[in-house]
Amino acid sequence: MDFKHPKSAEFYRYWLDLPRDGFAPSRDSFRPEQIPSLLPNFMIYELISDDYIKIRLLGSNLSEKFGGSCEGSNYLELVGPAHKIQASQALWAVVNQPCGIFGIVEQVMKSGLSVYMETVGLPLLNIDGGNPLILFQKNELDYEKKLPDENLKNHDYLKIFKRQFIDIGAGLDNVQHLIYPSLADA
């Protein structure tokens, strides 16, 4: 993977080094205290159903920039109605394939300015029979902050510019069709 932000690469290396029995590590092997520098830009999604992806944890930097009210809410409400199904399918693919997911997104901060973020998501097995989890690292890229596209509606403040899946050993044959058609040529 060719990450743009060094913390994305650090997160990926940490995840790869976690003990595992299969393609993904268990929730029990994840120790946040081992990666304190990554925690401010960290998220955990809990996949509850096709139409409910709960934001379980939002790191302090992300909470400050985007509002702490996101924690506990449904991620799918942030992507807008036109992309909810594909967003849900892509996240479920991360745990069902299993694989990782990488993206470049534009997101509006609480200040009203938009930033570009590099996002990396990787699965965690919930061995206690709970809902599947995805660990995310979201790092701001060094681009000029600007006012968001005036055509964005309030609920469409997350705009995806690039998405690709990361092969973690199980292949990617079953997930490539989940790329937004508008991103296939990007």
Side-chain angles (χ1 to χ4, degrees), residues 23 86 88-100 165-167 169-179:
F23 297 112
Q86 285 181 304
S88 176
Q89 288 174 339
L91 292 174
W92 277 99
V94 169
V95 296
N96 291 332
Q97 177 65 24
C99 61
F165 292 96
I166 303 168
D167 186 352
L172 297 175
D173 293 343
N174 297 322
V175 297
Q176 290 304 332
H177 68 285
L178 297 176
I179 300 296

Side-chain angles (χ1 to χ4, degrees), residues 116-163:
Y116 287 85
M117 307 285 288
E118 179 175 65
T119 66
V120 181
L122 296 159
L124 273 184
L125 300 175
N126 203 341
I127 58 173
D128 295 330
N131 296 317
L133 303 170
I134 303 175
L135 302 177
F136 266 92
Q137 181 69 25
K138 295 182 77 164
N139 295 296
E140 187 176 332
L141 296 175
D142 192 20
Y143 293 112
E144 181 180 347
K145 293 175 180 64
K146 62 183 179 92
L147 291 173
D149 181 341
E150 62 187 39
N151 295 322
L152 292 176
K153 296 184 174 112
N154 288 340
H155 58 270
D156 279 339
Y157 73 89
L158 182 70
K159 191 174 186 180
I160 299 172
F161 288 103
K162 179 177 184 178
R163 174 192 284 155

Side-chain angles (χ1 to χ4, degrees), residues 61-133:
N61 188 40
L62 297 176
S63 183
E64 180 181 305
K65 285 184 181 185
F66 304 113
S69 62
C70 289
E71 198 167 292
S73 66
N74 184 355
Y75 164 77
L76 298 174
E77 296 302 319
L78 305 179
V79 298
H83 298 294
K84 280 185 183 184
I85 292 171
Q86 285 181 304
S88 176
Q89 288 174 339
L91 292 174
W92 277 99
V94 169
V95 296
N96 291 332
Q97 177 65 24
C99 61
I101 193 165
F102 164 83
I104 304 293
V105 302
E106 178 184 11
Q107 195 164 356
V108 177
M109 298 184 297
K110 269 192 316 192
S111 69
L113 296 176
S114 70
V115 296
Y116 287 85
M117 307 285 288
E118 179 175 65
T119 66
V120 181
L122 296 159
L124 273 184
L125 300 175
N126 203 341
I127 58 173
D128 295 330
N131 296 317
L133 303 170

Side-chain angles (χ1 to χ4, degrees), residues 7 10-11 14-15 18 30-43 57-62 136-139:
K7 289 197 181 278
E10 184 181 347
F11 169 68
Y14 170 77
W15 183 89
L18 290 174
F30 171 62
R31 301 278 183 246
E33 65 274 9
Q34 295 174 338
I35 50 169
S37 68
L38 299 179
L39 294 180
N41 291 350
F42 199 73
M43 293 182 79
L57 177 72
L58 188 65
S60 59
N61 188 40
L62 297 176
F136 266 92
Q137 181 69 25
K138 295 182 77 164
N139 295 296

